[in-house]
């Protein structure tokens, strides 16, 4: 669980950084502390477009996880077994 959670967290961090870069502009300090959903709501107009943007960044986070999973399985073979027990 720890490895899986770490991989998902890293994927989310990468997606958030990409979202912040894509949304661009000078961000206020308050916006830097927002989670990605809040940031999208503030910076992207229209509910339909917001949902699409959020889905794209969720898919990006999943893609990072998918790329990390084989590495974690190879380098830390117990990470899947640990996750299965929790």
């Amino acid at each position: 669980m720890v490895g899986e959670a770490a991989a998902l967290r890293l994927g989310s961090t990468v997606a958030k950084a990409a979202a912040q870069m894509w949304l661009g502009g000078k961000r206020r300090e308050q916006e830097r502390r927002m989670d990605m959903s809040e940031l999208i709501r503030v910076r992207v107009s229209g509910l339909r477009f917001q949902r699409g943007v959020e889905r794209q960044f969720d898919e990006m986070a999943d893609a990072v996880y998918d790329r990390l999973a084989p590495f974690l399985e190879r380098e830390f073979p117990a990470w899947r077994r640990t996750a299965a027990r929790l």
Side-chain angles (χ1 to χ4, degrees):
M1 180 79 163
V2 173
E4 188 174 25
L8 287 171
R9 177 124 178 143
L10 179 60
S12 295
T13 300
V14 169
K16 182 177 180 180
Q20 288 175 334
M21 287 172 51
W22 178 69
L23 295 170
K26 295 184 179 187
R27 294 177 303 275
R28 298 180 308 236
E29 182 64 28
Q30 177 184 0
E31 288 181 359
R32 288 188 192 122
R33 294 184 182 148
M34 291 179 180
D35 69 21
M36 191 166 43
S37 296
E38 292 173 311
L39 183 62
I40 290 169
R41 278 193 299 274
V42 168
R43 303 287 286 213
V44 177
S45 61
L47 181 60
R48 175 74 170 105
F49 191 52
Q50 289 171 357
R51 290 169 43 90
V53 168
E54 190 162 358
R55 270 193 302 277
Q56 288 178 331
F57 287 111
D58 286 343
E59 289 172 9
M60 187 183 303
D62 290 345
V64 170
Y65 172 83
D66 291 343
R67 286 181 169 225
L68 283 176
F71 169 78
L72 291 171
E73 288 173 1
R74 184 178 62 248
E75 298 298 323
F76 307 100
W79 84 280
R80 279 273 188 212
R81 290 191 301 273
T82 302
R85 281 187 261 143
L86 296 176

